[in-house]
């Protein structure tokens, strides 16, 4: 394990307001997204879609890393270049999703445990050879009046720590994603209570398993009202609650947090990140983004599966990434939305 390399990689991923593009939807998930636009999902159409993002001119100014999934890291671009190399040519670090998805948790009818630890050491070795320098593992926590169970929190925290230890052993920076879902009618206070318990359990497990905090990143949810909650918290309330929780539970040794968007629309995801970064008070880590839907949705709509739209898809992506980069520096203003992307 090379501690300096891990720390350098983790810091590079959150430097200068840069953030991560999560382009690691599994084939069934991306197919669902394509279906909504009546785009056929084939290995070729998925490759074209991903390549549109990765080859956007100048995108390395705003994007430090891209999370790939297994199909994409084994694909070559239309120019016959390995996808990881396409990213490296843009100065972007390739990353890889290594969990095998959230499966029903035995003993609980509504909760999930993320699987994928068996054989992970060998898969990490292969991914490293293919160019991956960081990885992602996502745990999902469902919120209701009665959930999550203590058991669900603990088994997921333990799996996240086991994954992180294996990554660091293989010189791969682990991104640790314990996602408290926005689905449901819970209040922002309930989100704060549950996220606090989850982060407490996750950092206990990381400590027990001797994770090198300087060489990891956390991918948390923001503290936000449930999607169906009648009272939606303001941007300022989200920023204050998110910082309160992170200050209580995330050690300053962790170089950065890269938030997930979790179903927020792109403008909310940008606005919240900006408000978090503009808030007063101690922020001993970089606070940036690792968005999937919030970075991709507008580009997917613009592309719509047609080669002649690739350029406007790239413009949409460039614009969003530029706004999110500004938000990660606390410099976003709404007027930026009216600028057109010059690429
Ligand atoms: P969203 O930003 O769409 O939530 O995706 C981020 C991600 O990587 C979820 O695992």
């Amino acid at each position: 394990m090379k501690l300096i390399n891990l720390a350098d990689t983790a810091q590079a991923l959150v430097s200068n307001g840069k953030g991560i593009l999560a382009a690691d939807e599994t084939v069934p998930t991306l197919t669902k997204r394509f279906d909504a636009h009546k785009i056929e999902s084939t290995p070729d159409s998925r490759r074209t879609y991903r390549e549109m993002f990765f080859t956007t001119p100048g995108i390395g100014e705003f994007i430090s890393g891209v999370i790939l999934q297994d199909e994409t890291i084994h694909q070559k671009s239309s120019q016959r270049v390995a996808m990881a190399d396409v990213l490296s040519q843009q100065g972007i670090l390739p990353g890889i999703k290594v969990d095998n998805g959230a499966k029903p948790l035995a003993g609980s009818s509504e909760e999930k445990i993320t699987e994928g630890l068996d054989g992970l050491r060998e898969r990490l070795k292969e991914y490293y050879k293919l160019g991956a320098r960081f990885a992602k593992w996502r745990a999902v926590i469902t919120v209701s009046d009665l959930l999550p169970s203590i058991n669900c929190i603990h088994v997921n925290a333990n799996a996240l720590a086991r994954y992180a230890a294996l990554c660091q052993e293989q010189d791969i920076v682990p991104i640790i994603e314990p996602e408290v879902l926005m689905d449901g009618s819970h209040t922002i206070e309930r989100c704060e209570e549950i996220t606090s318990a989850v982060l407490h359990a996750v950092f206990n497990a990381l400590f027990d398993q001797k994770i090198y905090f300087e060489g990891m990143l956390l991918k948390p949810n923001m503290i936000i009202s449930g999607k169906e909650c009648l009272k939606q918290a303001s941007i300022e309330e989200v920023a204050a609650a998110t910082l309160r929780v992170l200050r209580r539970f995330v050690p300053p040794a962790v170089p950065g947090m890269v938030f997930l968007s979790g179903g927020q629309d792109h403008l909310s995801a940008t606005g919240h990140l900006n408000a978090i970064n503009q808030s007063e008070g101690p922020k001993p880590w970089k606070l940036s983004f690792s968005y999937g839907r919030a970075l991709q949705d507008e580009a997917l709509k613009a592309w719509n599966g047609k080669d002649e739209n690739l350029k406007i898809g790239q413009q949409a992506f460039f614009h969003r990434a530029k706004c999110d980069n500004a938000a990660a520096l606390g410099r976003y203003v709404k007027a930026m939305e009216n600028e057109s992307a010059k690429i």
Side-chain angles (χ1 to χ4, degrees):
M1 194 198 311
K2 301 187 191 75
L3 296 186
I4 291 185
N5 291 2
L6 287 171
D8 284 353
T9 301
Q11 273 165 21
L13 285 167
V14 288
S15 66
N16 305 322
K18 288 189 206 179
I20 294 172
L21 167 67
D24 60 335
E25 299 83 3
T26 57
V27 171
T29 301
L30 190 57
T31 300
K32 224 187 304 160
R33 305 253 159 95
F34 278 14
D35 282 351
H37 297 272
K38 302 199 167 51
I39 300 166
E40 198 190 351
S41 179
T42 64
D44 272 354
S45 68
R46 293 191 290 273
R47 190 206 55 199
T48 303
Y49 177 63
R50 259 74 189 245
E51 198 177 336
M52 168 176 81
F53 291 97
F54 306 168
T55 58
T56 297
I59 200 66
E61 196 183 331
F62 312 124
I63 298 291
S64 55
V66 170
I67 314 173
L68 304 167
Q69 59 84 244
D70 189 69
E71 178 184 63
T72 318
I73 203 168
H74 287 100
Q75 280 179 326
K76 289 206 163 74
S77 72
S78 52
Q79 305 300 310
R80 310 298 304 150
V81 178
M83 286 299 213
D85 294 339
V86 171
L87 293 173
S88 305
Q89 286 165 7
Q90 292 264 49
I92 294 173
L93 286 164
I96 183 77
K97 167 195 171 74
V98 297
D99 66 67
N100 288 342
K103 306 285 159 64
L105 175 65
S108 171
S109 56
E110 293 166 79
E111 295 183 295
K112 302 270 171 65
I113 173 69
T114 301
E115 295 188 348
L117 289 169
D118 288 353
L120 181 56
R121 177 178 277 127
E122 285 65 40
R123 289 195 290 128
L124 288 168
K125 283 183 184 159
E126 190 211 338
Y127 287 139
Y128 189 95
K129 280 194 206 134
L130 290 169
R133 292 296 174 268
F134 71 100
K136 184 192 101 171
W137 179 288
R138 172 175 178 254
V140 293
I141 306 290
T142 303
V143 182
S144 72
D145 288 347
L146 299 175
L147 300 177
S149 64
I150 302 276
N151 179 40
C152 177
I153 293 176
H154 282 272
V155 289
N156 274 295
N158 201 269
L160 277 164
R162 286 185 60 196
Y163 139 83
L166 284 163
C167 284
Q168 292 193 334
E169 180 193 84
Q170 300 303 323
D171 297 318
I172 289 180
V173 168
I175 295 190
I176 292 158
E177 182 180 9
E179 177 175 1
V180 175
L181 294 172
M182 281 172 72
D183 303 323
S185 56
H186 54 275
T187 60
I188 186 172
E189 289 81 11
R190 180 80 175 142
C191 178
E192 178 166 353
E193 178 193 349
I194 300 305
T195 306
S196 299
V198 168
L199 290 180
H200 189 186
V202 167
F203 277 93
N204 271 342
L206 295 175
F207 178 78
D208 286 346
Q209 297 194 43
K210 301 190 169 53
I211 300 310
Y212 176 55
F213 287 166
E214 288 82 349
M216 62 161 270
L217 294 175
L218 181 72
K219 178 161 172 168
N221 50 283
M222 295 176 187
I223 307 298
I224 204 165
S225 319
K227 260 188 232 160
E228 281 91 48
C229 180
L230 294 178
K231 185 176 170 295
Q232 290 291 312
S234 67
I235 293 182
E236 293 72 27
E237 286 166 333
V238 169
T242 301
L243 282 167
R244 184 163 57 235
V245 169
L246 297 179
R247 284 180 188 132
R248 285 182 180 159
F249 295 100
V250 185
V254 174
M257 243 77 74
V258 284
F259 291 102
L260 58 94
S261 60
Q264 299 180 54
D265 65 67
H266 59 278
L267 295 177
S268 303
T270 306
H272 285 143
L273 180 63
N274 189 54
I276 289 168
N277 277 295
Q278 282 187 344
S279 298
E280 301 287 318
K283 293 183 287 266
W285 349 253
K286 297 278 172 46
L287 295 159
S288 190
F289 57 92
S290 173
Y291 293 159
R293 286 161 284 183
L295 268 172
Q296 292 183 42
D297 282 355
E298 295 299 291
L300 172 60
K301 227 188 286 170
W303 171 57
N304 203 23
K306 300 194 175 70
D307 281 354
E308 61 268 29
N309 294 337
L310 282 167
K311 181 89 184 166
I312 54 168
Q314 290 188 329
Q315 282 166 343
F317 174 48
F318 186 94
H319 172 72
R320 224 40 272 139
K322 185 176 179 185
C323 291
D324 288 333
N325 169 261
L329 296 167
R331 292 184 199 150
Y332 167 77
V333 285
K334 280 216 180 89
M336 283 180 72
E337 298 297 345
N338 304 324
E339 293 169 12
S340 56
K342 293 183 193 67
I343 59 166

Coordinates of all heavy atoms in Angstrom, one line a residue, residues 52-53 56 295-296 298-304 309-319 343:
M52 N -19.5 10.5 -25.5 CA -19.9 12.0 -25.7 C -19.4 12.8 -24.5 O -18.8 13.9 -24.6 CB -21.4 12.0 -25.8 CG -22.0 13.4 -25.6 SD -23.8 13.4 -25.9 CE -24.4 12.9 -24.3
F53 N -19.6 12.2 -23.3 CA -19.1 12.9 -22.1 C -17.6 13.0 -22.0 O -17.0 14.0 -21.7 CB -19.7 12.2 -20.8 CG -21.2 12.3 -20.6 CD1 -22.0 11.3 -21.0 CD2 -21.7 13.5 -20.1 CE1 -23.4 11.4 -20.9 CE2 -23.1 13.6 -19.9 CZ -23.9 12.6 -20.3
T56 N -15.8 15.5 -24.3 CA -16.2 16.9 -24.4 C -14.9 17.8 -24.2 O -14.2 17.7 -23.3 CB -17.2 17.2 -23.2 OG1 -18.3 16.4 -23.4 CG2 -17.5 18.6 -23.1
L295 N -25.7 15.7 -13.5 CA -24.7 16.1 -14.5 C -25.1 15.6 -15.9 O -24.7 16.1 -16.9 CB -23.3 15.5 -14.2 CG -22.4 16.4 -13.3 CD1 -21.1 15.6 -13.0 CD2 -22.0 17.7 -14.1
Q296 N -25.9 14.5 -15.9 CA -26.1 13.9 -17.2 C -27.5 14.2 -17.9 O -27.6 14.1 -19.1 CB -26.1 12.3 -17.1 CG -24.7 11.8 -16.8 CD -24.8 10.2 -16.7 OE1 -25.4 9.6 -17.5 NE2 -24.1 9.7 -15.7
E298 N -29.5 16.7 -18.6 CA -29.7 17.6 -19.7 C -29.0 17.2 -21.0 O -29.5 17.4 -22.1 CB -29.2 19.0 -19.2 CG -30.0 19.6 -18.1 CD -31.5 19.8 -18.5 OE1 -31.7 20.7 -19.3 OE2 -32.3 19.1 -17.9
A299 N -27.8 16.6 -20.8 CA -27.1 16.1 -22.0 C -27.8 15.0 -22.6 O -27.8 14.9 -23.9 CB -25.6 15.7 -21.5
L300 N -28.3 14.1 -21.8 CA -29.1 12.9 -22.4 C -30.3 13.4 -23.2 O -30.5 12.9 -24.3 CB -29.5 12.0 -21.2 CG -30.5 10.9 -21.6 CD1 -29.8 9.9 -22.6 CD2 -30.9 10.1 -20.3
K301 N -31.0 14.4 -22.6 CA -32.1 15.0 -23.3 C -31.7 15.6 -24.7 O -32.3 15.4 -25.7 CB -32.8 16.1 -22.5 CG -34.3 15.9 -22.3 CD -34.9 17.1 -21.6 CE -34.6 17.2 -20.1 NZ -35.0 18.4 -19.5
A302 N -30.6 16.3 -24.6 CA -30.1 17.0 -25.8 C -29.6 16.0 -26.9 O -29.9 16.2 -28.1 CB -29.0 18.0 -25.5
W303 N -28.9 15.0 -26.5 CA -28.4 14.0 -27.4 C -29.6 13.2 -28.0 O -29.6 13.0 -29.3 CB -27.4 13.1 -26.7 CG -27.0 11.9 -27.4 CD1 -26.4 11.9 -28.7 CD2 -27.1 10.5 -27.0 NE1 -26.1 10.6 -29.0 CE2 -26.6 9.7 -28.1 CE3 -27.7 9.9 -25.9 CZ2 -26.5 8.3 -28.0 CZ3 -27.6 8.5 -25.9 CH2 -27.1 7.7 -26.9
N304 N -30.4 12.7 -27.2 CA -31.6 11.9 -27.6 C -31.3 10.8 -28.5 O -32.1 10.4 -29.4 CB -32.6 12.9 -28.2 CG -34.0 12.3 -28.2 OD1 -34.3 11.5 -27.3 ND2 -34.9 12.8 -29.1
N309 N -26.7 15.1 -32.7 CA -26.9 15.9 -31.5 C -25.7 15.8 -30.5 O -25.8 16.4 -29.4 CB -28.1 15.5 -30.8 CG -29.4 15.8 -31.6 OD1 -29.4 16.7 -32.4 ND2 -30.5 15.1 -31.3
L310 N -24.7 15.1 -30.9 CA -23.6 14.8 -30.0 C -23.0 16.1 -29.5 O -22.7 16.3 -28.3 CB -22.5 13.9 -30.6 CG -22.8 12.4 -30.6 CD1 -21.8 11.7 -31.5 CD2 -22.8 11.8 -29.2
K311 N -22.8 17.1 -30.4 CA -22.2 18.4 -30.0 C -23.1 19.1 -29.0 O -22.6 19.7 -28.0 CB -22.0 19.2 -31.3 CG -21.4 20.5 -31.1 CD -19.9 20.4 -31.2 CE -19.3 21.8 -30.9 NZ -17.9 21.8 -30.7
I312 N -24.4 19.2 -29.2 CA -25.2 19.9 -28.2 C -25.3 19.1 -26.9 O -25.5 19.7 -25.8 CB -26.6 20.3 -28.8 CG1 -27.4 19.1 -29.3 CG2 -26.5 21.4 -29.8 CD1 -28.9 19.4 -29.5
G313 N -25.2 17.8 -27.0 CA -25.1 17.0 -25.7 C -23.9 17.4 -24.9 O -23.9 17.6 -23.7
Q314 N -22.7 17.6 -25.7 CA -21.5 18.0 -25.0 C -21.6 19.4 -24.4 O -21.1 19.7 -23.3 CB -20.3 17.9 -26.0 CG -20.0 16.5 -26.3 CD -18.7 16.3 -27.1 OE1 -18.4 17.3 -27.9 NE2 -18.0 15.2 -27.0
Q315 N -22.3 20.3 -25.2 CA -22.4 21.6 -24.7 C -23.3 21.6 -23.4 O -22.9 22.4 -22.4 CB -23.1 22.5 -25.7 CG -22.1 22.9 -26.8 CD -22.8 23.5 -28.0 OE1 -24.0 23.3 -28.3 NE2 -22.0 24.2 -28.9
A316 N -24.3 20.8 -23.3 CA -25.1 20.7 -22.1 C -24.3 20.2 -20.9 O -24.4 20.7 -19.8 CB -26.4 19.8 -22.4
F317 N -23.5 19.2 -21.2 CA -22.7 18.6 -20.1 C -21.6 19.7 -19.7 O -21.4 19.9 -18.4 CB -22.0 17.4 -20.6 CG -21.0 16.8 -19.7 CD1 -21.3 16.6 -18.4 CD2 -19.7 16.4 -20.2 CE1 -20.3 16.0 -17.5 CE2 -18.8 15.8 -19.3 CZ -19.1 15.7 -17.9
F318 N -21.0 20.3 -20.6 CA -20.0 21.3 -20.3 C -20.5 22.4 -19.4 O -20.0 22.8 -18.4 CB -19.4 21.9 -21.6 CG -18.2 22.8 -21.4 CD1 -16.9 22.4 -21.4 CD2 -18.4 24.2 -21.1 CE1 -15.8 23.2 -21.3 CE2 -17.3 25.1 -20.9 CZ -16.0 24.6 -21.0
H319 N -21.7 22.9 -19.8 CA -22.4 23.9 -19.0 C -22.7 23.5 -17.6 O -22.4 24.2 -16.6 CB -23.7 24.3 -19.7 CG -24.5 25.3 -18.9 ND1 -24.2 26.6 -18.8 CD2 -25.7 25.1 -18.2 CE1 -25.1 27.2 -18.0 NE2 -26.0 26.3 -17.6
I343 N -17.6 25.6 -26.5 CA -16.7 24.5 -26.7 C -16.6 24.3 -28.2 O -17.4 24.7 -29.0 CB -17.1 23.2 -26.0 CG1 -18.5 22.7 -26.5 CG2 -17.1 23.4 -24.5 CD1 -18.8 21.3 -26.1

